[in-house]
Amino acid sequence: MALACPGQVARRVESDFSRDFSPIELDRQLARAFTQWRAWRLRLRDRPEGGEEDDPLTYFHPVTGLEQFRRLSELPEYDPLRGPARRWVYRLAEQRINHGALTALGEERQKELRLPDAPGRGAVSLATMLERCLSDAPRAEVWMQLFLGNAAPVSTLTVDLWQRRREIARRMGLDSPAVIESCLADADTAHTAGANAAVLAELVARSTRERIRELELASPAGFVEVALGRDVPGSWPARLSPQRMLDYFRDGDLLRSLDLKTPPLPSSLGAASFMRSLGILGGAWLEALGPQDQPFVVAHDPYGLKRHEASALFSLLPLNSRFLGRHLEIPPHALPDVRRRLAQIWLLELGLTAFRVQLRPHALAGESSFREAFVELVHRDLDLSVTPNIAGALFPLGIEDEQHLVGQLLAVEREEALLEAHDEDWFRNPRAIEQLRAEANRPPLTRAEPNEVKTALARTLKRLELLLR
């Protein structure tokens, strides 16, 4: 459904909900809203400018508002659509209400600045500065310093955004966004959700900070350089595209006959770009296999716990000796060193995600708490020194950070089970592929048991230690 006639969309939605409440119609409208929202998020990344006419969720206000959320909350808890529909209504409501704040952030990142000390002395945006910090290795430090020196406006907008998110939760009758968004809650309470996430993130940080310190990153630009993996040998593709990534799976049925909807892949700048692209492919794989015989709100999770797990599972493939030798032409004698370097990239990603999860409650608590915790946590867990005025601009927070962290851990446990049952070639094994596709065809779990996640953390840390020796 295109946005060419927004008035028609609005009238259709309002007409559909002028009748008695219909769970089936609600599900249809939420699916439509999601499609429009996803397209807008892609446009926001590439072209942030735009006004109210570029806010597709405005026309879905009847299904993404407080009244609808309350109506769903009044349903009996045994109703199978109550929980999934509430989560989707809340997710889309937050994005609709924060459309202006999100657009302003995108515009600020893309706004061109004329800086006399910038290489080339041309007008550059903050987004361009970060991109050149990645792609212009000889001048990465210069570009990062320019970014840090001009990122304060993005930080201010980020502080405002997270305060708005706290206020939205309050107006929806929740103590915290975690009541809806957390994947680690034992019960429907903000205290349990926030406590479990904080405990997990602290455990990860405590277990990874010494290894991160050993890398002697020195500066944010140094962090980027090590995390990018430009130095890792291997036959990494010169250009990353969905078609190119599919080539690595031609001799198996893992991705056979799937309509994969992937966002644009990153530029090929190092091993991490390849790992990230595999992760994007894994997320698209899971979404494509979602059950077709279930309502939209049941078949798809708005916060994507299983999607993040699938993404992490795919991104771990370069750590697989068979995959490295078969597709990236790493000779056997070089495997230990290459896997050690890839494990360092994985370590930094894990530590950075844990940092973000720890910072989230401070972002919701208020500006001073956010800025103070940002400086402290970056220094303690990432071994970097930063100033408080760039909180939220460097290492920005995301709504799905908790799912990303839990997904990273669960993926390791999932991979170990596949290795044990099907050997290192599990990504080509017909029985493993049949099993994975069957599992992906089930409604996704939206929450994980904290004890299960702690077990997965122990396995992850053990795996890292073996690779980092």
Side-chain angles (χ1 to χ4, degrees):
M1 184 174 61
L3 282 175
C5 301
Q8 293 179 1
V9 176
R11 286 193 294 274
R12 183 183 305 170
V13 174
E14 290 171 1
S15 173
D16 287 337
F17 279 83
S18 63
R19 304 188 295 271
D20 291 339
F21 173 72
S22 166
I24 295 176
E25 185 57 36
L26 172 63
D27 185 73
R28 289 176 54 200
Q29 295 292 358
L30 289 174
R32 291 174 183 171
F34 164 71
T35 300
Q36 301 290 1
W37 169 62
R38 180 170 58 182
W40 172 72
R41 292 291 292 183
L42 289 174
R43 293 197 302 276
L44 179 66
R45 183 175 65 179
D46 300 326
R47 184 186 57 81
E49 69 277 3
E52 291 299 317
E53 70 279 2
D54 197 35
D55 178 9
L57 293 181
T58 292
Y59 314 117
F60 292 92
H61 187 283
V63 296
T64 62
L66 178 58
E67 182 180 349
Q68 188 62 251
F69 187 77
R70 285 175 174 169
R71 178 184 286 178
L72 290 166
S73 299
E74 291 168 357
L75 292 175
E77 293 194 12
Y78 58 76
D79 189 304
L81 290 183
R82 177 186 181 273
R86 283 178 84 232
R87 288 164 61 80
W88 269 110
V89 168
Y90 186 87
R91 177 75 156 116
L92 294 174
E94 185 275 327
Q95 293 287 286
R96 174 179 57 78
I97 296 167
N98 280 330
H99 169 267
L102 292 166
T103 300
L105 258 177
E107 290 175 342
E108 191 62 43
R109 290 188 180 112
Q110 297 289 346
K111 183 171 67 177
E112 291 195 337
L113 306 172
R114 293 204 169 273
L115 305 174
D117 49 349
R121 299 188 178 181
V124 289
S125 66
L126 289 167
T128 299
M129 293 175 205
L130 277 182
E131 185 277 325
R132 291 182 182 171
C133 182
L134 295 172
S135 60
D136 187 1
R139 295 185 288 192
E141 196 68 50
V142 173
W143 287 115
M144 177 58 76
Q145 289 305 314
L146 284 171
F147 172 82
L148 296 177
N150 291 276
V154 167
S155 176
T156 298
L157 290 171
T158 300
V159 168
D160 176 66
L161 175 62
W162 283 88
Q163 291 306 288
R164 290 171 61 88
R165 285 175 171 160
R166 181 183 66 177
E167 180 61 18
I168 289 168
R170 188 190 67 78
R171 293 190 178 188
M172 300 286 264
L174 306 175
D175 293 333
S176 163
V179 174
I180 292 291
E181 296 173 352
S182 177
C183 62
L184 284 173
D186 291 323
D188 221 19
T189 67
H191 173 72
T192 303
N196 284 339
V199 167
L200 174 66
E202 168 59 24
L203 283 173
V204 174
R206 192 188 310 155
S207 303
T208 58
R209 64 176 67 121
E210 288 303 321
R211 280 293 190 179
I212 290 176
R213 191 168 288 116
E214 290 171 3
L215 298 176
E216 299 181 343
L217 303 173
S219 69
F223 182 100
V224 170
E225 184 63 25
V226 176
L228 190 60
R230 209 191 317 263
D231 59 311
V232 182
S235 183
W236 310 103
R239 182 175 176 274
L240 296 169
S241 66
Q243 194 64 33
R244 180 67 182 92
M245 300 307 295
L246 288 173
D247 289 342
Y248 296 102
F249 300 92
R250 294 295 181 195
D251 53 354
D253 290 336
L254 190 60
L255 306 178
R256 173 181 46 82
S257 304
L258 295 180
D259 180 19
L260 299 175
K261 293 181 171 60
T262 61
L265 300 183
S267 300
S268 184
L269 301 174
S273 303
F274 183 75
M275 295 170 77
R276 184 180 170 204
S277 295
L278 281 173
I280 292 172
L281 193 69
W285 169 83
L286 186 89
E287 291 296 311
L289 285 168
Q292 302 297 312
D293 58 347
Q294 295 288 329
F296 166 79
V297 297
V298 174
H300 303 277
D301 173 22
Y303 301 101
L305 173 58
K306 296 304 289 184
R307 170 168 43 83
H308 283 286
E309 181 183 337
S311 176
L313 179 65
F314 274 59
S315 69
L316 285 172
L317 279 170
L319 289 162
N320 182 302
S321 297
R322 297 277 178 84
F323 191 91
L324 278 173
R326 185 179 186 86
H327 294 302
L328 301 173
E329 301 176 9
I330 305 297
H333 72 272
L335 281 174
D337 287 338
V338 170
R339 294 178 76 200
R340 184 182 303 109
R341 186 65 186 84
L342 293 173
Q344 290 175 350
I345 296 172
W346 179 25
L347 168 74
L348 289 179
E349 175 70 11
L350 195 62
L352 183 56
T353 310
F355 154 79
R356 286 171 167 148
V357 174
Q358 289 180 95
L359 186 59
R360 176 190 170 101
H362 297 282
L364 293 167
E367 180 173 2
S368 61
S369 179
F370 186 14
R371 295 192 186 283
E372 290 171 11
F374 173 78
V375 173
E376 179 185 346
L377 290 171
V378 168
H379 179 68
R380 189 191 71 184
D381 295 340
L382 304 180
D383 197 30
L384 300 173
S385 296
V386 293
T387 56
N389 68 320
I390 60 166
L394 182 68
F395 307 138
L397 303 182
I399 288 180
E400 297 177 11
D401 288 334
E402 185 180 322
Q403 282 79 7
H404 185 50
L405 178 61
V406 174
Q408 285 177 288
L409 303 178
L410 294 178
V412 175
E413 193 160 36
R414 190 75 195 89
E415 187 202 35
E416 288 199 358
L418 289 167
L419 291 170
E420 184 177 345
H422 306 289
D423 202 10
E424 283 193 299
D425 269 342
W426 63 263
F427 53 91
R428 300 173 56 236
N429 187 294
R431 292 179 60 190
I433 291 170
E434 181 181 2
Q435 174 187 340
L436 285 168
R437 289 179 64 121
E439 291 172 353
N441 194 235
R442 301 169 189 163
L445 296 175
T446 60
R447 296 191 175 181
E449 290 294 330
N451 289 336
E452 176 189 1
V453 177
K454 287 181 181 178
T455 300
L457 172 58
R459 291 179 182 273
T460 299
L461 297 175
K462 182 179 179 180
R463 175 89 176 277
L464 272 171
E465 284 301 316
L466 288 172
L467 290 169
L468 292 170
R469 286 179 180 174

